[in-house]
Amino acid sequence: MSMTAAAHDAVVPAPATPHLRAVPPLPEPARETTALWWARLLRRGPGPLEYSLVAVNSDRFPDGTPVDMTAVDARGRRPAGWQVDVRHRATDGRVVRIEVAEELSDRCPPMWFAEVTHATGAVPAASLLAFRGSAFRPGAVVRPHEVAAAGVRMTDRIAEVRWWIRSGLVDTVTVEPVYRGRGVARTLVTAAEGLRFLRGWAPLRSDGRLTDAGAAWLESAPAAWQPRLAARSEVLPDADVEEELTGVARLLR
C-alpha cells in the first residue's frame, strides 16, 4: 500500500466540540399597547394605613379599568408596566407622594410638587407645580400654604401643568428653559395624570393647538398618551412671559 493510500485510510479525528451551556430563549419584547389601567394597592407598614393608585401601561386589562388589588400584599411592588404611583392616606385621602417610573423620569432632576386648584375662574381648573430644592422630599405633594411656610415662592417653580378639570384639556405646560429637554414635562404630566384619576377628574388630553416644543414632545410621548394627544392642527407661538398668554390651550410653551 502506498503512503498516499495509507494516509487516506487513516481515521481523521473529529473536530473538538465546544462546551455549550443550555440557556432559555430570549424573551420576546413586550408588545406596545396604549392601554392604561389603574391598580389600587394596599401599603402595609408601621405607620398610618396608606394606599397606592398605580397607572399601568399593559394589555392585562382594558384601557381605563380600575382594578382593586388590596387583597394581595404587594410588599412594595407594582405591576409590570407601571407609569405613576400616587400614594395617599386611607383616613383623609391626602396625597403623600407621587413617583414616576424611571423609564419616564430617568433624565429628570429630583422634584417635589404643589397642587393648586383655581376656584376663581368660570371653568374649574387645577395646576401641578414642580419645584427643586430641599424644602420637601422628592415626590412630596404639598399645598400652597405649605410652600409659603417653607420659605419658597410659587414663582420659584421649575415647571407647571394647568388643565381644565371637567374636560381634562391641558391649558399650559410650562418648563423653565434651563430644564427643558430633560424629561421634566413628561414626568410632571404623568404625575398630574395620576393625581387627576385619584380626584375623579377627566383624563388629561390635548386639542391639537401646539407650540413647536409641544409638537416635539408629542412625537416622543409614551404610548399610553397617544390616544389622547390630538395631531397638531394649529401652530401656537412659544411664549415665556405670562402676560403674553391669549387664553387658548397651549402645550409645552
Side-chain angles (χ1 to χ4, degrees), residues 91-106:
T91 52
D92 56 5
R94 173 71 185 271
V95 177
V96 177
R97 68 174 180 272
I98 298 179
E99 294 182 62
V100 176
E102 186 176 355
E103 63 190 60
L104 300 178
S105 61
D106 59 338

Side-chain angles (χ1 to χ4, degrees), residues 117-126 162-169 171 247:
T117 54
H118 307 281
T120 56
V123 182
R162 176 181 170 125
W163 70 96
W164 311 118
I165 291 174
R166 293 174 183 168
S167 66
L169 183 64
D171 179 48

Side-chain angles (χ1 to χ4, degrees), residues 206-237:
S206 73
D207 67 351
R209 290 177 287 179
L210 305 171
T211 64
D212 288 339
W217 182 83
L218 186 148
E219 291 178 359
S220 61
W225 283 96
Q226 297 299 336
R228 290 187 273 135
L229 297 176
R232 192 177 194 179
S233 60
E234 181 180 340
V235 178
L236 295 178

Side-chain angles (χ1 to χ4, degrees), residues 17 40 124 157 198:
T17 302
R40 186 170 184 256
R157 59 99 175 95
L198 178 68

Side-chain angles (χ1 to χ4, degrees), residues 171 209 234 236-237 239 241-250:
D171 179 48
R209 290 177 287 179
E234 181 180 340
L236 295 178
V241 181
E242 194 70 23
E243 287 73 21
E244 293 181 10
L245 292 177
T246 62
V248 297
R250 297 177 182 273

